């Protein structure tokens, strides 16, 4: 975690907007709107993006904030970053620094499957997914959850607005072949 962080002032934001071809919401103009739980996560995402571009692995990128302006398909995982390779491969990146369990893990796996699956003659939103973490245990848990035919609960809210698992399915056989797992150093 950084010892300090800085946000743009109103005049700084105005200067940035003068040069930006695309404007995105910048709620951090109010320092109290900075989600401190995501500072480390977002720094890792920024570093991964810069490293991919500097290494020539990506020619373009989109952040989660950029993607939310485009809209999201229901049930599709919205990644932290999307990198576009020189061969036009769209690689969705998820930075995972804390573990997901039960409903969150099931919905994470299902959302990734929906994002890289061609449905109703519509192309997949992304070609591949990469899960990046600094924890071997987290990566192993996700790898195990995405193995072919692993059980996958489907969740919905009941009449009292509580999450319940009302159906089950299995992980598609092709999913693990389209997901990469990468360990990074702290």
């Amino acid at each position: 975690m950084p010892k300090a962080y800085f946000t743009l002032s109103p005049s700084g934001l105005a200067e940035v907007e003068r040069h930006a071809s695309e404007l995105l919401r910048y709620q951090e103009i109010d320092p109290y709107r900075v989600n401190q739980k995501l500072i480390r996560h977002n720094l890792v995402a920024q570093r991964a993006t810069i490293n991919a571009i500097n290494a020539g692995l990506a020619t373009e990128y989109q952040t989660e904030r950029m993607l939310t302006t485009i809209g999201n398909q229901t049930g599709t995982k919205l990644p932290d970053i999307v990198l576009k390779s020189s061969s036009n491969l769209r690689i969705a990146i998820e930075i995972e620094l804390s573990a997901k369990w039960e409903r969150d893990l099931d919905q994470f796996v299902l959302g990734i499957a929906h994002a890289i699956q061609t449905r109703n003659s519509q192309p997949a939103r992304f070609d591949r997914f990469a899960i990046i973490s600094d924890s071997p245990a987290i990566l192993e848990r996700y790898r195990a959850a995405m193995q072919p035919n692993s059980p996958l609960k489907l969740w919905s809210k009941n009449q009292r607005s509580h999450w319940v698992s009302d159906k089950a399915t299995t992980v598609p056989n092709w999913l693990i072949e389209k997901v990469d797992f990468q360990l990074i150093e702290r």
Side-chain angles (χ1 to χ4, degrees):
M1 288 293 292
K3 293 180 182 174
Y5 63 88
F6 300 90
T7 63
L8 292 174
S9 66
S11 59
L13 179 59
E15 181 63 21
V16 169
E17 289 174 341
R18 283 186 48 233
H19 301 284
S21 58
E22 180 182 353
L23 297 180
L24 302 172
R25 286 179 116 30
Y26 184 71
Q27 66 187 21
E28 293 84 3
I29 196 80
D30 175 1
Y32 293 105
R33 299 283 311 259
V34 174
N35 185 341
Q36 294 186 28
K37 293 178 185 176
L38 292 178
I39 290 176
R40 183 168 171 267
H41 174 275
N42 292 343
L43 286 172
V44 171
Q46 289 174 9
R47 197 172 293 134
T49 303
I50 291 167
N51 290 344
I53 290 171
N54 287 342
L57 301 173
T59 57
E60 296 177 34
Y61 71 92
Q62 289 180 299
T63 64
E64 184 174 13
R65 189 169 294 183
M66 296 164 123
L67 293 168
T68 56
T69 63
I70 298 169
N72 190 26
Q73 300 167 354
T74 304
T76 300
K77 179 73 180 106
L78 191 62
D80 297 318
I81 313 156
V82 176
L83 300 177
K84 189 173 181 183
S85 72
S86 58
S87 61
N88 289 329
L89 197 65
R90 297 159 302 164
I91 305 164
I93 309 289
E94 267 300 313
I95 308 297
E96 291 298 316
L97 304 177
S98 58
K100 287 181 173 47
W101 298 96
E102 299 211 1
R103 178 180 58 84
D104 291 332
L105 181 58
D106 290 336
Q107 289 179 323
F108 180 81
V109 172
L110 192 60
I112 288 175
H114 285 166
I116 56 180
Q117 179 182 27
T118 303
R119 288 186 281 165
N120 302 329
S121 71
Q122 293 288 334
R125 183 119 191 238
F126 310 111
D127 300 304
R128 296 192 66 76
F129 248 87
I131 299 172
I132 298 173
S133 182
D134 61 354
S135 166
I138 288 173
L139 290 177
E140 195 51 46
R141 190 174 305 116
Y142 289 150
R143 186 179 284 116
M146 293 185 193
Q147 290 303 310
N149 300 315
S150 291
L152 186 61
K153 294 178 185 175
L154 303 178
W155 297 80
S156 62
K157 286 193 173 183
N158 66 14
Q159 294 172 334
R160 295 181 0 199
S161 292
H162 293 115
W163 286 104
V164 294
S165 171
D166 52 357
K167 297 178 186 173
T169 187
T170 58
V171 173
N173 292 337
W174 51 265
L175 181 62
I176 195 71
E177 296 167 8
K178 293 188 173 197
V179 179
D180 300 305
F181 302 89
Q182 184 172 352
L183 181 66
I184 58 169
E185 293 182 25
R186 286 189 161 205

